[in-house]
Amino acid sequence: MIKPGVLQRRLVGEVITRIERKGLKIQALKLMTMTRKLCERQYAEHKGKAFYDDLVNYISSAPCITMVVAGEEAIAMMRKLAGATNAAEAEPGTIRGDFAAVTQKNLVHASDSPASAAREIGLFFGPEDIQDWSDGNETWVV
Ligand code: CMP
């Protein structure tokens, strides 16, 4: 998920380019402003934490881009591309390391396990929204 502010900062192309350059495959993509209810479901595991209310307010404040990204070890790769959650700890060269100055506004969210990916994808997409496409490049990039 590309978080609010990335669209306004005109950094959507920068983020998506990094995913594409890695050779991962975008199978679904949606521009949407999430309702509070949807944010609460997305971030249910953080309910009760000090930053939870601010997080839900922020995520529901402006458009996000949700995506399904596929590839061998796609979850591990997306998390490496994103960098550490904490903006101060994210390494230069990662999306957060290069563009995030505030932990809450750390540009992207990436699912941390196959189970979370399945749950989170289900919040935004139906099976009919997910395109399995081939360009013959699998031999070289995935
Ligand atoms: P994300 O990967 O989307 O998962 C939960 C989000 O909560 C996280 O990225 C941050 O945006 C936010 N978050 C996590 N820890 C903190 C924190 N200590 N302070 C503020 N926001 C946080």
Side-chain angles (χ1 to χ4, degrees):
M1 179 173 90
I2 298 179
K3 297 183 181 184
V6 180
L7 202 70
Q8 288 82 349
R9 291 174 67 190
R10 311 300 199 268
L11 287 173
V12 171
E14 174 73 42
V15 172
I16 291 178
T17 295
R18 289 173 182 227
I19 296 168
E20 288 193 311
R21 274 199 323 221
K22 181 69 176 168
L24 291 164
K25 195 196 299 193
I26 296 172
Q27 291 194 322
L29 187 150
K30 188 187 279 184
L31 176 65
M32 62 186 300
T33 301
M34 288 168 62
T35 61
R36 288 187 60 84
K37 210 173 189 64
L38 192 51
C39 294
E40 285 166 5
R41 291 177 69 195
Q42 159 75 17
Y43 284 116
E45 69 184 281
H46 297 296
K47 195 170 167 61
K49 293 186 184 163
F51 59 82
Y52 175 78
D53 288 342
D54 285 345
L55 179 64
V56 169
N57 287 338
Y58 160 59
I59 296 293
S60 59
S61 68
C64 289
I65 292 171
T66 53
M67 285 184 276
V68 176
V69 174
E72 208 176 288
E73 308 230 31
I75 289 172
M77 286 182 191
M78 275 307 310
R79 290 181 69 80
K80 280 270 187 202
L81 287 175
T85 300
N86 185 306
E89 287 168 13
E91 296 288 344
T94 66
I95 295 166
R96 291 163 170 171
D98 287 348
F99 301 109
V102 176
T103 295
Q104 185 191 69
K105 300 187 174 78
N106 59 2
L107 280 89
V108 290
H109 166 80
S111 307
D112 63 4
S113 67
S116 330
R119 188 185 73 76
E120 292 169 1
I121 289 168
L123 296 176
F124 307 114
F125 300 104
E128 70 284 1
D129 299 319
I130 300 171
Q131 306 289 320
D132 192 10
W133 51 270
S134 171
D135 59 4
N137 257 334
E138 283 81 359
T139 316
W140 310 110
V141 292
V142 282

